[in-house]
Amino acid sequence: MTVSTQQVTRPDATELHVGRLADAKVRVSLDPYLSVLALTTDALGGRRRGAPESWRRRIRSAVSPAQAQAVWPLVAPGHSVTPDCVSPLSPIFETSVDEQIERLRDLSPDELLADLDGVFGRSGPPPHWRTVARQPRHWLRAYASATSQVWAAMRPVWREARPLLDREVARVGAAAMRGRLDVILGGIHPSSRFEDGVLKIRDPEPARFDLAGRRLVLVPMVSGGDALICSLDRADAVWLGYPLPGAGRLFRGEPAQEGGNALELLLGPVRAQVLTAASRPVTMGELATLTRLTPSAVTYHCERLAAAGLVLRERHGREVRVSLTPRAERLSELFDA
């Protein structure tokens, strides 16, 4: 079962109970198939997830109407669960997109129908999957072809993103070595929260899962900033596909660049900048001036840093002052060492 979160107004959330992060087996996988899936649903399915319009146009021009139509069951409003055949073979082993497309083309109609039965149970597939159930072979061919065309259109962008992807591997590695994977999980997506060992993901079809000793695989996606795709019920591993930090450079046509200090690798350049600017107590207005961010952006990043236990916000009259917590001070000392 793959869960692709949607922007919804009700507060329901799927929960992944991770437990002690020190005991978790975490790795990063650079599997481009999830990026293709995120961009396909963004450009062809009407599920806007922040991809730039230039990418969306490129994808739409690469596929036929029949191929685009095959994407619609994946993006039905109010639903997030999809059959396992849409999921990557295994992000743990970074299977190529071409191999995954061949898997779709080789899948028999009976296997797809069994997959639908396994996911949706005796009640049968919901309305948006019934057309697929009536013409499984047709859908498999159309969806595989759509995926192939999207990958052909976006493969150059994936190659351009390689420095950012390598940087993300280093960022997660630095967090693991410093015992700060909570910072990574806490900032993995704008609509998620990580608190007390529980990752909460906004979801129209909420459920509860336990990591329970399984491997936790983080899959950075070259996608819009609101994309999030995850699979939480596999026996071998849990994987989370999330927006690649720094992908905005690619949106703007700028070259991806490596570099940055260790604190930036952990928190990302913007939040590292906010944390550095708050090394002495400052007001929100002063913080916006020091970081050259808009007030709303400062508020957003301070909320995430506060959720990670790194900053305190205290009201003094009409002003809100921001200061570092002891945890943040220790973190800064570690990275300055």
Side-chain angles (χ1 to χ4, degrees):
M1 177 184 70
T2 302
V3 176
S4 177
T5 63
Q6 304 184 52
Q7 294 174 334
V8 293
T9 56
R10 62 186 192 177
D12 294 335
T14 282
E15 295 184 354
L16 174 63
H17 290 248
V18 178
R20 277 173 40 88
L21 276 175
D23 299 330
K25 297 174 289 186
V26 181
R27 66 155 295 172
V28 182
S29 174
L30 304 184
D31 189 323
Y33 177 79
L34 278 186
S35 298
V36 173
L37 180 57
L39 291 171
T40 298
T41 56
D42 189 316
L44 303 179
R47 183 177 289 181
R48 298 296 294 266
R49 289 293 176 267
E53 188 57 35
S54 60
W55 290 10
R56 301 177 81 248
R57 286 197 300 268
R58 185 189 303 189
I59 291 170
R60 288 197 297 266
S61 66
V63 302
S64 69
Q67 291 166 349
Q69 187 66 31
V71 177
W72 278 100
L74 279 65
V75 293
H79 297 272
S80 64
V81 177
T82 61
D84 290 336
C85 67
V86 177
S87 303
L89 282 168
S90 177
I92 298 175
F93 302 109
E94 299 182 3
T95 309
S96 73
V97 177
D98 292 334
E99 287 180 80
Q100 310 224 45
I101 292 169
E102 284 306 307
R103 186 272 303 249
L104 285 168
R105 287 177 171 155
D106 292 342
L107 199 69
S108 73
D110 288 341
E111 288 177 290
L112 173 57
L113 293 174
D115 193 357
L116 291 171
D117 287 341
V119 171
F120 298 115
R122 293 182 178 179
S123 59
H128 56 290
W129 282 103
R130 288 175 192 163
T131 300
V132 175
R134 287 194 292 269
Q135 296 181 303
R137 188 184 301 278
H138 172 79
W139 182 81
L140 284 167
R141 289 175 176 172
Y143 181 68
S145 296
T147 303
S148 178
Q149 294 301 108
V150 172
W151 176 230
M154 298 307 298
R155 188 194 300 255
V157 175
W158 175 265
R159 290 173 178 160
E160 291 169 11
R162 188 69 201 205
L164 291 173
L165 292 163
D166 291 340
R167 178 187 176 97
E168 180 63 3
V169 173
R171 186 175 80 100
V172 176
M177 288 189 294
R178 304 282 185 170
R180 296 318 314 265
L181 284 168
D182 59 321
V183 175
I184 300 293
L185 293 178
I188 206 165
H189 189 267
S191 296
S192 68
R193 292 288 185 275
F194 184 74
E195 298 172 337
D196 301 323
V198 180
L199 180 63
K200 297 181 180 181
I201 302 168
R202 187 184 299 175
D203 187 358
E205 297 183 271
R208 184 190 188 280
F209 301 90
D210 289 282
L211 187 60
R214 292 177 293 166
R215 189 183 298 272
L216 177 59
V217 184
L218 304 179
V219 190
M221 299 188 300
V222 179
S223 64
D226 290 331
L228 182 65
I229 305 174
C230 54
S231 179
L232 309 179
D233 62 349
R234 291 173 60 121
D236 57 344
V238 164
W239 54 257
L240 303 169
Y242 61 98
L244 172 65
R249 299 187 63 86
L250 302 173
F251 297 175
R252 298 186 294 270
E254 300 172 4
Q257 295 179 349
E258 297 181 273
N261 61 39
L263 191 61
E264 288 183 1
L265 286 176
L266 176 61
L267 299 174
V270 176
R271 289 179 194 164
Q273 182 186 17
V274 171
L275 209 64
T276 300
S279 58
R280 61 174 180 81
V282 292
T283 66
M284 294 290 282
E286 290 171 333
L287 198 54
T289 300
L290 289 169
T291 58
R292 298 183 180 180
L293 296 171
T294 64
S296 62
V298 168
T299 299
Y300 168 73
H301 289 293
C302 282
E303 286 177 351
R304 304 315 296 269
L305 289 168
L310 298 176
V311 300
L312 290 174
R313 292 173 295 171
E314 299 175 303
R315 180 167 291 279
H316 295 267
R318 293 185 176 182
E319 295 180 337
V320 175
R321 291 188 177 275
V322 180
S323 60
L324 302 186
T325 65
R327 172 186 283 187
E329 291 172 352
R330 290 194 300 270
L331 189 66
S332 297
E333 291 170 1
L334 279 172
F335 280 96
D336 288 338

